[in-house]
Amino acid sequence: MSLASYAARRVALGLVQVLAVVTLVFLVVQALPGDAAVALAGDNPDPARIAQIRAAMDLDRPAPERFLEWLIALPRLDFGVSLVSGRPVADFLFGGIGPTLLLAALTLALLVPISVLVGVLAALREGSLLDRALTSISVALHSIPEFALAVVLIAVFGVQLTWLPPTAVGADLLAQPAVLVLPLVVLLARPICSISRLVRAGMVDALASDYVRHARRLGLGETRVRFAHALPNALAPAVQQVARTTDWLLGGVIVVEAVFVIPGLGTVLVDAVAARDLPVVQGLAVVFAVTTVTVNLLADLVAFRLAPRAEVVA
Amino acid sequence: MPLNRRGFLGLTTGLTVVTLAGCGSGATSATSTPRAGGRLRAAFAGGGAKEVLDPHLANLFVEAARSKALFDKLADLGDDVSPQPRLAEKWEPNADLTRWRITLRQAKFHDGRPVRAQDVLASYARILDPNRAFRAKSSLALIDLPNSRAVDDRTVEFALKRPFAEFPNALAAFGTYIVPEGAEDFTKPIGSGPFGFVSFEPGKSVLLKRNPDYWEGAPHLDELEFVIANEESARTNALLGGQVEYAHDLTPTTARSHASGDRMTIHRSPNSAVQAFAMKLDRPPFDNRDLREALFLLADRPQLVESVLAGSGQVGNDLFGKGYQHYAGDIPQRQRDLDKAKFLIRKAGAEGLVVKLDTSTAAAGMVEAATVFADQVKGSGLTIEVVQGNKDSYWADTLKNGSLSSFRSGAMPIETHISQRLLKGAGTNVTKWNRPEFDALYEKAVSTSDASARDEAYREMQRVLHAEGGYLMWGFADWIVGAKPSVGGISTAPANTLDWARFDKVWLG
């Protein structure tokens, strides 16, 4: 199968997947107790008032009917309006996607070089003190959950030593990059381990493989053997993991956003679900589904390019 | 222990305590003399999608605080939760309390237009619009708008549908702000409040500036910025890290660990939130008066206050509004009496009964209180099983379902508490209290102009509720705010009253 027809098939499948995700999200939110009117009424749940809010929000029409209308408008990229605030859903998505994208891009820009370097170094010195040290540190970091690491870093560097701002509250992320340091460290800690371990394993396998031995027999320089022949093959499995990490980052890492007060997509999602603001939740589902499908497709294509013999399954 | 949100917050606090253990204590800077100028940043929990600047839609604390900075009401609640004149200079009812003449203060909107009687009528008409669902609608529902009129630019005459002595409570009700006539677009709100609007980023921040022409005198601050931080730990950390000067709504645990430190000052507002369990009287088992009394006697209130509120509060006596106007403080405080409770449970034939106690994390401390109370009930013959429900629909769920549930409420006048929760047909009657003679007593209270007769009627109502009611009000939580030690002028009035989160009186030292 050619790369192009493979990609086309995957895109078509992706569209079906997005539709399935959105429908599923709609059903799940419907299954939650209470609707937007109940959530908005809060501790003043006078039934008469809830009925009025419901009418004012147009919630008295059947839910499937509202869902279909929303779906029909979707191909025009019309995400509808928020039930609670009346502002367009697209505003929420644009508002949240900025901080999330910024964090994801910075994390990836640091993650890929660092983890490849760590993995390669460990593989080249397999079994050495360096290998064992890198392995121990990265596994140790991996075993700390994000929130625990965040809490410790804030307490030590933000509050006690006051080297770095403890939160990003009210800050303009681009104008005050210092607020991003601690969140980036937290976001990097675990993926560095998982990816560098995969690179190390791939590299160790590749260096022991027949084709590397053959390349050495042909008299190719050691650097060329390592980095032009062994490394690309070693990276193929890591690419899938980078894709999963990217997907995780683009979903808005809720814990990190909450602890550091970064108003990204994760925060928008939490607020929208709590408010039962269905159009906003559905809009987010579209964004998350599209990113997941796209990122995985790209990863498969990159893996295919790096190691063309690898089997691609649609 | 599974790691949930609460465990996480507890952990956060714990770690903060550990890392601050080395900090010194004792230093308090001079905050007694007001100083002009500067920008105060105040961190509040927000609602993201829910946040709006329309003061009539205000629902969250941050929206209430912003509305107060930008707008005025005709009246607001004083420290004893009684109505105090604000934009209204004075109010005068007629003899049968059905017509009220309000004289407006000389005040100006931020665009320079005067606040007129027409603006007041238009604001109330907007709130009362039958096609909309503003929170203050039920508070103002007794106004007969078509028969109300502007006598002149600074005099409004309200016609009421029935005699109502407590009309000023309605003028002070949550969300009854005065906006310019015809105002519908609140993207750049114009009010008459102490601060004018500069900018708004939903879910992130609102920037306001000093209104030099405020009728009560210009604020000390030049600028006021509200920033959003939903996690309590984040608000605390932002304050400790110098990113904000004021952090709203902190937990008792945080207060306890920072009370002696020099990096933040803790401000406690007593009697701000009542903590309770609500028993439903219209269904078994609590349709039995003996069983209700047994539950009253099983609560170890000092222990609940000490454990659930970490000591930041006071015990309750099953009555709403401790310290408020008309509170029946002379009724003896109820104490735990296990033997009498056991006897009452046997008498009610309820030995071995298992009762479900519905609770949720919809308000801080409710799940903890339910767990502690279930433990206190052990050994009485009755068993309480704590059931945790969905927090987003909790209040609507417990209004209809179950027989025993966690309850809490912010400050409001005792009259408002009764009319919203304890009358036949009241919108949020969670205990299903329904007594014609009680309703008659309420009618008597609000339709007499004799202040002492009114006070006596409220006391009588409270005596009945204390003896037979469905609310087990075990405590009153302090409202806790943290601020930089150099910030002055922070009041400790109960949350929801005029002086709570009132930034025109605050200064940066």
Side-chain angles (χ1 to χ4, degrees), chain B residues 77-127:
Chain B
L77 301 172
D79 292 6
D80 66 346
V81 198
S82 66
Q84 309 293 326
R86 297 295 294 162
L87 269 185
E89 208 166 51
K90 56 176 179 171
W91 43 69
E92 297 153 296
N94 66 353
D96 70 353
L97 303 170
T98 54
R99 292 193 85 83
W100 288 70
R101 186 177 277 250
I102 313 271
T103 311
L104 297 181
R105 214 173 274 284
Q106 222 154 8
K108 279 194 291 188
F109 287 113
H110 300 142
D111 58 3
R113 284 181 291 167
V115 178
R116 302 160 311 141
Q118 286 84 345
D119 299 310
V120 171
L121 288 171
S123 300
Y124 282 17
R126 182 170 189 260
I127 293 168

Short mmCIF file of all heavy atoms in Angstrom, two decimals, chain B residues 77-127:
data_model
loop_
_atom_site.label_atom_id
_atom_site.label_comp_id
_atom_site.label_asym_id
_atom_site.label_seq_id
_atom_site.Cartn_x
_atom_site.Cartn_y
_atom_site.Cartn_z
N LEU B 77 -26.44 44.53 53.38
CA LEU B 77 -26.53 43.96 54.72
C LEU B 77 -25.36 44.40 55.59
O LEU B 77 -24.21 44.32 55.18
CB LEU B 77 -26.56 42.43 54.63
CG LEU B 77 -27.72 41.89 53.81
CD1 LEU B 77 -27.58 40.39 53.59
CD2 LEU B 77 -29.06 42.20 54.49
N GLY B 78 -25.68 44.88 56.79
CA GLY B 78 -24.65 45.30 57.73
C GLY B 78 -24.04 44.12 58.46
O GLY B 78 -24.35 42.97 58.17
N ASP B 79 -23.20 44.41 59.45
CA ASP B 79 -22.49 43.35 60.17
C ASP B 79 -23.43 42.40 60.90
O ASP B 79 -23.12 41.24 61.11
CB ASP B 79 -21.51 43.96 61.17
CG ASP B 79 -20.37 44.68 60.48
OD1 ASP B 79 -20.42 44.79 59.23
OD2 ASP B 79 -19.44 45.13 61.17
N ASP B 80 -24.62 42.90 61.32
CA ASP B 80 -25.57 42.01 61.98
C ASP B 80 -26.61 41.51 60.97
O ASP B 80 -27.69 41.06 61.35
CB ASP B 80 -26.25 42.72 63.17
CG ASP B 80 -27.14 43.87 62.73
OD1 ASP B 80 -27.03 44.29 61.55
OD2 ASP B 80 -27.95 44.34 63.54
N VAL B 81 -26.26 41.61 59.68
CA VAL B 81 -27.10 41.11 58.59
C VAL B 81 -28.49 41.79 58.60
O VAL B 81 -29.50 41.19 58.26
CB VAL B 81 -27.19 39.57 58.62
CG1 VAL B 81 -27.68 39.00 57.29
CG2 VAL B 81 -25.83 38.95 58.90
N SER B 82 -28.51 43.05 59.02
CA SER B 82 -29.74 43.84 58.89
C SER B 82 -29.52 44.83 57.75
O SER B 82 -28.39 45.20 57.46
CB SER B 82 -30.03 44.59 60.18
OG SER B 82 -29.01 45.54 60.41
N PRO B 83 -30.59 45.24 57.05
CA PRO B 83 -30.42 46.09 55.87
C PRO B 83 -29.96 47.51 56.23
O PRO B 83 -30.46 48.10 57.18
CB PRO B 83 -31.82 46.11 55.25
CG PRO B 83 -32.74 45.78 56.37
CD PRO B 83 -32.00 44.89 57.30
N GLN B 84 -28.97 48.01 55.50
CA GLN B 84 -28.44 49.36 55.68
C GLN B 84 -28.63 50.12 54.38
O GLN B 84 -28.42 49.57 53.31
CB GLN B 84 -26.94 49.29 55.99
CG GLN B 84 -26.56 48.35 57.10
CD GLN B 84 -27.09 48.82 58.44
OE1 GLN B 84 -27.17 50.02 58.70
NE2 GLN B 84 -27.48 47.88 59.29
N PRO B 85 -29.03 51.40 54.46
CA PRO B 85 -29.24 52.16 53.22
C PRO B 85 -27.94 52.35 52.45
O PRO B 85 -26.88 52.56 53.05
CB PRO B 85 -29.76 53.52 53.71
CG PRO B 85 -29.76 53.49 55.17
CD PRO B 85 -29.31 52.17 55.67
N ARG B 86 -28.00 52.23 51.13
CA ARG B 86 -26.83 52.47 50.28
C ARG B 86 -27.19 53.55 49.26
O ARG B 86 -27.16 54.70 49.57
CB ARG B 86 -26.37 51.18 49.60
CG ARG B 86 -25.91 50.11 50.58
CD ARG B 86 -24.66 50.51 51.32
NE ARG B 86 -23.51 50.63 50.42
CZ ARG B 86 -22.40 51.28 50.74
NH1 ARG B 86 -22.29 51.88 51.88
NH2 ARG B 86 -21.40 51.34 49.88
N LEU B 87 -27.58 53.12 48.03
CA LEU B 87 -28.01 54.14 47.06
C LEU B 87 -29.30 54.79 47.54
O LEU B 87 -29.59 55.93 47.19
CB LEU B 87 -28.23 53.50 45.68
CG LEU B 87 -27.05 53.48 44.73
CD1 LEU B 87 -27.48 52.94 43.38
CD2 LEU B 87 -26.40 54.84 44.58
N ALA B 88 -30.08 54.05 48.29
CA ALA B 88 -31.26 54.65 48.91
C ALA B 88 -30.76 55.42 50.13
O ALA B 88 -30.05 54.88 50.96
CB ALA B 88 -32.23 53.56 49.36
N GLU B 89 -31.13 56.69 50.18
CA GLU B 89 -30.72 57.48 51.34
C GLU B 89 -31.61 57.13 52.52
O GLU B 89 -31.18 57.03 53.65
CB GLU B 89 -30.86 58.95 50.99
CG GLU B 89 -29.94 59.87 51.69
CD GLU B 89 -29.95 61.23 50.99
OE1 GLU B 89 -31.05 61.77 50.75
OE2 GLU B 89 -28.87 61.72 50.65
N LYS B 90 -32.88 56.94 52.23
CA LYS B 90 -33.84 56.55 53.26
C LYS B 90 -35.04 55.88 52.62
O LYS B 90 -35.25 55.99 51.40
CB LYS B 90 -34.28 57.76 54.09
CG LYS B 90 -34.87 58.87 53.25
CD LYS B 90 -35.38 59.99 54.11
CE LYS B 90 -35.95 61.09 53.21
NZ LYS B 90 -36.64 62.13 53.89
N TRP B 91 -35.81 55.14 53.42
CA TRP B 91 -37.04 54.52 52.94
C TRP B 91 -38.15 54.78 53.94
O TRP B 91 -37.92 54.77 55.14
CB TRP B 91 -36.87 53.02 52.71
CG TRP B 91 -36.10 52.29 53.78
CD1 TRP B 91 -36.51 52.05 55.05
CD2 TRP B 91 -34.80 51.72 53.66
NE1 TRP B 91 -35.56 51.36 55.74
CE2 TRP B 91 -34.49 51.13 54.91
CE3 TRP B 91 -33.88 51.62 52.62
CZ2 TRP B 91 -33.29 50.48 55.15
CZ3 TRP B 91 -32.69 50.97 52.87
CH2 TRP B 91 -32.40 50.41 54.11
N GLU B 92 -39.36 55.04 53.44
CA GLU B 92 -40.49 55.31 54.31
C GLU B 92 -41.70 54.54 53.82
O GLU B 92 -42.17 54.80 52.70
CB GLU B 92 -40.84 56.80 54.29
CG GLU B 92 -39.73 57.69 54.83
CD GLU B 92 -39.78 59.08 54.22
OE1 GLU B 92 -39.61 59.20 52.99
OE2 GLU B 92 -40.03 60.03 54.96
N PRO B 93 -42.21 53.60 54.62
CA PRO B 93 -43.42 52.88 54.20
C PRO B 93 -44.66 53.69 54.55
O PRO B 93 -44.61 54.59 55.40
CB PRO B 93 -43.36 51.61 55.05
CG PRO B 93 -42.61 52.00 56.29
CD PRO B 93 -41.67 53.10 55.90
N ASN B 94 -45.77 53.38 53.90
CA ASN B 94 -47.03 53.97 54.34
C ASN B 94 -47.56 53.16 55.53
O ASN B 94 -46.91 52.19 55.97
CB ASN B 94 -48.04 54.03 53.18
CG ASN B 94 -48.45 52.64 52.72
OD1 ASN B 94 -47.90 51.64 53.18
ND2 ASN B 94 -49.42 52.57 51.83
N ALA B 95 -48.71 53.52 56.04
CA ALA B 95 -49.19 52.92 57.29
C ALA B 95 -49.40 51.42 57.17
O ALA B 95 -49.08 50.66 58.08
CB ALA B 95 -50.47 53.61 57.74
N ASP B 96 -49.94 50.94 56.05
CA ASP B 96 -50.19 49.49 55.96
C ASP B 96 -49.05 48.74 55.27
O ASP B 96 -49.21 47.57 54.90
CB ASP B 96 -51.54 49.22 55.29
CG ASP B 96 -51.53 49.58 53.81
OD1 ASP B 96 -50.51 50.15 53.35
OD2 ASP B 96 -52.51 49.29 53.11
N LEU B 97 -47.90 49.37 55.11
CA LEU B 97 -46.68 48.73 54.60
C LEU B 97 -46.81 48.21 53.17
O LEU B 97 -46.11 47.28 52.78
CB LEU B 97 -46.26 47.57 55.52
CG LEU B 97 -46.02 47.90 56.98
CD1 LEU B 97 -45.87 46.61 57.80
CD2 LEU B 97 -44.79 48.77 57.16
N THR B 98 -47.69 48.77 52.38
CA THR B 98 -47.84 48.32 51.00
C THR B 98 -47.23 49.29 49.99
O THR B 98 -47.09 48.94 48.82
CB THR B 98 -49.32 48.14 50.62
OG1 THR B 98 -49.99 49.36 50.91
CG2 THR B 98 -49.96 46.99 51.38
N ARG B 99 -46.92 50.50 50.41
CA ARG B 99 -46.25 51.45 49.51
C ARG B 99 -45.01 51.99 50.20
O ARG B 99 -45.06 52.40 51.36
CB ARG B 99 -47.18 52.61 49.13
CG ARG B 99 -48.35 52.17 48.26
CD ARG B 99 -49.08 53.35 47.65
NE ARG B 99 -48.45 53.80 46.41
CZ ARG B 99 -48.68 53.24 45.23
NH1 ARG B 99 -49.51 52.22 45.11
NH2 ARG B 99 -48.08 53.68 44.16
N TRP B 100 -43.88 51.93 49.50
CA TRP B 100 -42.61 52.37 50.09
C TRP B 100 -42.02 53.47 49.24
O TRP B 100 -41.83 53.32 48.05
CB TRP B 100 -41.64 51.19 50.17
CG TRP B 100 -42.00 50.19 51.22
CD1 TRP B 100 -43.06 49.33 51.19
CD2 TRP B 100 -41.32 49.96 52.45
NE1 TRP B 100 -43.09 48.58 52.33
CE2 TRP B 100 -42.03 48.94 53.13
CE3 TRP B 100 -40.20 50.51 53.06
CZ2 TRP B 100 -41.62 48.46 54.38
CZ3 TRP B 100 -39.80 50.03 54.30
CH2 TRP B 100 -40.52 49.01 54.95
N ARG B 101 -41.71 54.59 49.89
CA ARG B 101 -41.11 55.72 49.19
C ARG B 101 -39.61 55.73 49.48
O ARG B 101 -39.18 55.77 50.63
CB ARG B 101 -41.77 57.02 49.68
CG ARG B 101 -41.32 58.25 48.93
CD ARG B 101 -42.09 59.46 49.43
NE ARG B 101 -43.40 59.57 48.78
CZ ARG B 101 -43.69 60.52 47.90
NH1 ARG B 101 -42.80 61.44 47.59
NH2 ARG B 101 -44.88 60.58 47.36
N ILE B 102 -38.81 55.62 48.41
CA ILE B 102 -37.36 55.54 48.53
C ILE B 102 -36.76 56.83 48.01
O ILE B 102 -37.04 57.22 46.87
CB ILE B 102 -36.80 54.37 47.67
CG1 ILE B 102 -37.63 53.11 47.89
CG2 ILE B 102 -35.31 54.19 47.88
CD1 ILE B 102 -37.20 52.22 48.97
N THR B 103 -35.91 57.47 48.81
CA THR B 103 -35.20 58.65 48.34
C THR B 103 -33.79 58.24 47.96
O THR B 103 -33.08 57.62 48.75
CB THR B 103 -35.14 59.72 49.44
OG1 THR B 103 -36.45 59.88 49.97
CG2 THR B 103 -34.63 61.04 48.90
N LEU B 104 -33.40 58.57 46.74
CA LEU B 104 -32.07 58.16 46.27
C LEU B 104 -31.02 59.18 46.66
O LEU B 104 -31.28 60.37 46.72
CB LEU B 104 -32.07 58.02 44.74
CG LEU B 104 -32.97 56.96 44.14
CD1 LEU B 104 -32.81 56.95 42.63
CD2 LEU B 104 -32.63 55.59 44.71
N ARG B 105 -29.82 58.67 46.89
CA ARG B 105 -28.66 59.49 47.15
C ARG B 105 -28.25 60.18 45.86
O ARG B 105 -28.57 59.72 44.78
CB ARG B 105 -27.55 58.52 47.54
CG ARG B 105 -26.60 58.98 48.51
CD ARG B 105 -25.73 57.78 48.85
NE ARG B 105 -26.31 56.98 49.90
CZ ARG B 105 -26.29 57.34 51.18
NH1 ARG B 105 -25.80 58.50 51.55
NH2 ARG B 105 -26.80 56.54 52.11
N GLN B 106 -27.50 61.28 45.99
CA GLN B 106 -26.97 61.90 44.79
C GLN B 106 -25.74 61.11 44.35
O GLN B 106 -24.68 61.20 44.96
CB GLN B 106 -26.59 63.35 45.09
CG GLN B 106 -27.01 64.25 43.97
CD GLN B 106 -27.23 65.67 44.44
OE1 GLN B 106 -26.94 66.03 45.59
NE2 GLN B 106 -27.76 66.49 43.56
N ALA B 107 -25.90 60.29 43.33
CA ALA B 107 -24.80 59.43 42.88
C ALA B 107 -24.73 59.47 41.37
O ALA B 107 -25.71 59.82 40.70
CB ALA B 107 -25.01 58.01 43.37
N LYS B 108 -23.55 59.13 40.85
CA LYS B 108 -23.35 59.17 39.40
C LYS B 108 -22.86 57.83 38.89
O LYS B 108 -22.09 57.14 39.57
CB LYS B 108 -22.31 60.24 39.05
CG LYS B 108 -22.86 61.65 39.01
CD LYS B 108 -21.90 62.61 38.33
CE LYS B 108 -20.65 62.84 39.17
NZ LYS B 108 -19.78 63.90 38.62
N PHE B 109 -23.28 57.47 37.67
CA PHE B 109 -22.69 56.32 37.01
C PHE B 109 -21.30 56.69 36.51
O PHE B 109 -20.96 57.88 36.43
CB PHE B 109 -23.58 55.87 35.85
CG PHE B 109 -24.85 55.18 36.29
CD1 PHE B 109 -26.09 55.77 36.07
CD2 PHE B 109 -24.80 53.96 36.94
CE1 PHE B 109 -27.26 55.14 36.48
CE2 PHE B 109 -25.96 53.32 37.36
CZ PHE B 109 -27.19 53.91 37.13
N HIS B 110 -20.51 55.68 36.12
CA HIS B 110 -19.13 55.94 35.70
C HIS B 110 -19.04 56.82 34.46
O HIS B 110 -18.02 57.44 34.22
CB HIS B 110 -18.41 54.61 35.43
CG HIS B 110 -18.36 53.72 36.64
ND1 HIS B 110 -18.49 52.36 36.58
CD2 HIS B 110 -18.25 54.03 37.95
CE1 HIS B 110 -18.43 51.85 37.80
NE2 HIS B 110 -18.29 52.85 38.65
N ASP B 111 -20.13 56.86 33.67
CA ASP B 111 -20.08 57.71 32.48
C ASP B 111 -20.58 59.12 32.78
O ASP B 111 -20.77 59.93 31.87
CB ASP B 111 -20.87 57.08 31.33
CG ASP B 111 -22.32 56.83 31.70
OD1 ASP B 111 -22.72 57.19 32.84
OD2 ASP B 111 -23.06 56.27 30.88
N GLY B 112 -20.81 59.42 34.05
CA GLY B 112 -21.17 60.78 34.43
C GLY B 112 -22.65 61.04 34.57
O GLY B 112 -23.07 62.04 35.14
N ARG B 113 -23.51 60.11 34.06
CA ARG B 113 -24.95 60.31 34.20
C ARG B 113 -25.37 60.11 35.65
O ARG B 113 -24.80 59.25 36.34
CB ARG B 113 -25.69 59.30 33.31
CG ARG B 113 -25.67 59.65 31.84
CD ARG B 113 -26.44 58.62 31.03
NE ARG B 113 -25.75 57.32 31.03
CZ ARG B 113 -26.32 56.19 30.62
NH1 ARG B 113 -27.57 56.18 30.22
NH2 ARG B 113 -25.64 55.05 30.64
N PRO B 114 -26.35 60.86 36.11
CA PRO B 114 -26.81 60.67 37.49
C PRO B 114 -27.61 59.37 37.62
O PRO B 114 -28.19 58.88 36.63
CB PRO B 114 -27.71 61.88 37.74
CG PRO B 114 -28.18 62.29 36.38
CD PRO B 114 -27.08 61.95 35.42
N VAL B 115 -27.62 58.79 38.82
CA VAL B 115 -28.47 57.62 39.09
C VAL B 115 -29.87 58.16 39.38
O VAL B 115 -30.07 58.94 40.32
CB VAL B 115 -27.95 56.83 40.30
CG1 VAL B 115 -28.87 55.65 40.60
CG2 VAL B 115 -26.52 56.36 40.05
N ARG B 116 -30.85 57.75 38.54
CA ARG B 116 -32.20 58.32 38.65
C ARG B 116 -33.20 57.23 39.04
O ARG B 116 -32.94 56.04 38.91
CB ARG B 116 -32.63 58.91 37.30
CG ARG B 116 -31.74 60.01 36.74
CD ARG B 116 -31.98 60.14 35.25
NE ARG B 116 -31.93 58.81 34.64
CZ ARG B 116 -32.73 58.41 33.66
NH1 ARG B 116 -33.65 59.20 33.15
NH2 ARG B 116 -32.61 57.18 33.17
N ALA B 117 -34.35 57.69 39.46
CA ALA B 117 -35.43 56.77 39.82
C ALA B 117 -35.75 55.83 38.65
O ALA B 117 -36.04 54.64 38.85
CB ALA B 117 -36.67 57.56 40.21
N GLN B 118 -35.66 56.35 37.42
CA GLN B 118 -35.94 55.51 36.24
C GLN B 118 -34.96 54.35 36.13
O GLN B 118 -35.32 53.26 35.69
CB GLN B 118 -35.88 56.36 34.95
CG GLN B 118 -37.06 57.29 34.75
CD GLN B 118 -36.87 58.62 35.49
OE1 GLN B 118 -36.01 58.77 36.36
NE2 GLN B 118 -37.71 59.59 35.16
N ASP B 119 -33.70 54.59 36.50
CA ASP B 119 -32.70 53.52 36.44
C ASP B 119 -33.06 52.41 37.43
O ASP B 119 -32.90 51.23 37.14
CB ASP B 119 -31.31 54.07 36.76
CG ASP B 119 -30.86 55.13 35.76
OD1 ASP B 119 -30.94 54.86 34.55
OD2 ASP B 119 -30.45 56.21 36.20
N VAL B 120 -33.54 52.82 38.61
CA VAL B 120 -33.93 51.84 39.62
C VAL B 120 -35.08 50.99 39.11
O VAL B 120 -35.04 49.76 39.16
CB VAL B 120 -34.32 52.57 40.93
CG1 VAL B 120 -34.93 51.59 41.92
CG2 VAL B 120 -33.11 53.28 41.52
N LEU B 121 -36.10 51.65 38.57
CA LEU B 121 -37.27 50.90 38.08
C LEU B 121 -36.89 50.00 36.91
O LEU B 121 -37.33 48.85 36.83
CB LEU B 121 -38.38 51.88 37.66
CG LEU B 121 -39.09 52.58 38.82
CD1 LEU B 121 -40.00 53.68 38.31
CD2 LEU B 121 -39.89 51.58 39.66
N ALA B 122 -36.00 50.50 36.02
CA ALA B 122 -35.60 49.68 34.87
C ALA B 122 -34.78 48.47 35.32
O ALA B 122 -34.93 47.37 34.79
CB ALA B 122 -34.79 50.54 33.89
N SER B 123 -33.91 48.67 36.33
CA SER B 123 -33.11 47.54 36.83
C SER B 123 -34.01 46.47 37.41
O SER B 123 -33.82 45.27 37.15
CB SER B 123 -32.14 48.03 37.92
OG SER B 123 -31.27 49.00 37.41
N TYR B 124 -34.99 46.89 38.21
CA TYR B 124 -35.89 45.92 38.82
C TYR B 124 -36.79 45.26 37.77
O TYR B 124 -37.10 44.07 37.87
CB TYR B 124 -36.72 46.58 39.93
CG TYR B 124 -35.95 46.78 41.23
CD1 TYR B 124 -34.56 46.71 41.25
CD2 TYR B 124 -36.60 47.02 42.43
CE1 TYR B 124 -33.85 46.89 42.42
CE2 TYR B 124 -35.90 47.20 43.62
CZ TYR B 124 -34.51 47.14 43.61
OH TYR B 124 -33.81 47.29 44.78
N ALA B 125 -37.17 46.02 36.76
CA ALA B 125 -37.99 45.44 35.69
C ALA B 125 -37.19 44.37 34.95
O ALA B 125 -37.72 43.31 34.57
CB ALA B 125 -38.45 46.52 34.72
N ARG B 126 -35.90 44.63 34.77
CA ARG B 126 -35.05 43.65 34.09
C ARG B 126 -34.97 42.36 34.92
O ARG B 126 -35.11 41.26 34.39
CB ARG B 126 -33.65 44.24 33.89
CG ARG B 126 -32.69 43.33 33.15
CD ARG B 126 -31.40 44.07 32.78
NE ARG B 126 -30.60 43.24 31.89
CZ ARG B 126 -29.56 42.50 32.30
NH1 ARG B 126 -29.19 42.51 33.57
NH2 ARG B 126 -28.88 41.76 31.43
N ILE B 127 -34.77 42.51 36.23
CA ILE B 127 -34.67 41.33 37.09
C ILE B 127 -35.99 40.55 37.09
O ILE B 127 -36.00 39.32 37.12
CB ILE B 127 -34.29 41.75 38.53
CG1 ILE B 127 -32.87 42.32 38.55
CG2 ILE B 127 -34.41 40.59 39.50
CD1 ILE B 127 -32.49 43.04 39.83
#
